[in-house]
Amino acid sequence: MVVDSPEDHMSRLPIIEPETAQGSAAELLAAVQKALGVTPNMTKVMANSPAVLKAYLEFSGALGAGTLPVGIREGIALAVAQENSCDYCLSAHTYIATNLAGLSEAEAAGARHAKSGDAKTAAVLKLATALVRTRGSVEESDLKTAREAGLNDAEITEVIGNVALNVFTNYLNKAAEVDIDWPVVSHAG
């Protein structure tokens, strides 16, 4: 469901514009612009602490070089954002999943609810959802189900890493009420 965002909304933390950023914040925002072609508001808010922006970029980059394909990582992002009711991340990852990562709109919508026509992807999404719901205290049966669906230990570890990265961005965006600069998608839809 796409909804309009109120135009008078302001983020609770300053949005650091690349043109006015100083020092390492400016360098990091320039790197984001170069890599993505845009500088999302989330990264502009992270620039309040260059250490946070750097950590996010390095963690995201390291996971991007892992074994999980981009479509599955985007599915994890959607499932985690749905669980955490984070409309900023739902909006960003719906756009990225359907425009850059090759997921159909139906696949992206399914991922939000830990559903996929592919058994291994479904197992990844169910594990990600279980991790969020239990705050990491998953049952042995959750790991057994993931392994039975074909996930190896490296993939399970990367699912946990991707969940952690997305919980961080969900919490940041919700706490700061970051202005959504993507086509808006609501967790209620």
Side-chain angles (χ1 to χ4, degrees):
M1 175 179 164
V2 177
V3 295
D4 291 324
S5 177
E7 291 184 21
D8 59 350
H9 180 266
M10 298 263 307
S11 293
R12 289 178 169 172
L13 290 172
I15 291 177
I16 308 299
E17 294 298 339
E19 312 77 59
T20 59
Q22 302 287 318
S24 59
E27 293 168 18
L28 291 164
L29 289 173
V32 169
Q33 176 67 36
K34 184 177 179 186
L36 300 178
V38 297
T39 310
N41 282 343
M42 179 186 77
T43 57
K44 293 176 185 176
V45 168
M46 286 179 180
N48 281 287
S49 168
V52 168
L53 179 53
K54 183 178 183 205
Y56 165 74
L57 294 172
E58 289 178 356
F59 194 12
S60 181
L63 290 173
T67 60
L68 293 177
V70 66
I72 290 179
R73 292 193 316 271
E74 288 303 315
I76 292 169
L78 288 165
V80 172
Q82 183 67 39
E83 283 296 312
N84 286 322
S85 303
C86 181
D87 290 346
Y88 186 96
C89 290
L90 276 175
S91 301
H93 290 287
T94 296
Y95 180 87
I96 294 166
T98 59
N99 289 279
L100 305 173
L103 272 65
S104 69
E105 289 192 23
E107 289 169 324
R112 289 174 57 180
H113 304 286
K115 295 184 187 327
S116 173
D118 176 71
K120 187 173 180 180
T121 301
V124 165
L125 299 173
K126 287 179 182 159
L127 178 58
T129 301
L131 284 159
V132 174
R133 288 181 181 168
T134 65
R135 297 183 188 153
S137 297
V138 293
E139 300 290 330
E140 181 63 35
S141 61
D142 293 317
L143 296 176
K144 182 178 183 216
T145 299
R147 288 187 177 107
E148 287 173 351
L151 275 77
N152 62 36
D153 291 339
E155 291 167 322
I156 290 170
T157 304
E158 287 183 30
V159 170
I160 296 166
N162 277 279
V163 167
L165 176 66
N166 284 285
V167 166
F168 162 61
T169 59
N170 291 175
Y171 285 10
L172 176 87
N173 286 305
K174 289 182 70 171
E177 292 185 358
V178 176
D179 294 329
I180 299 173
D181 50 348
W182 304 89
V184 177
V185 177
S186 171
H187 68 278

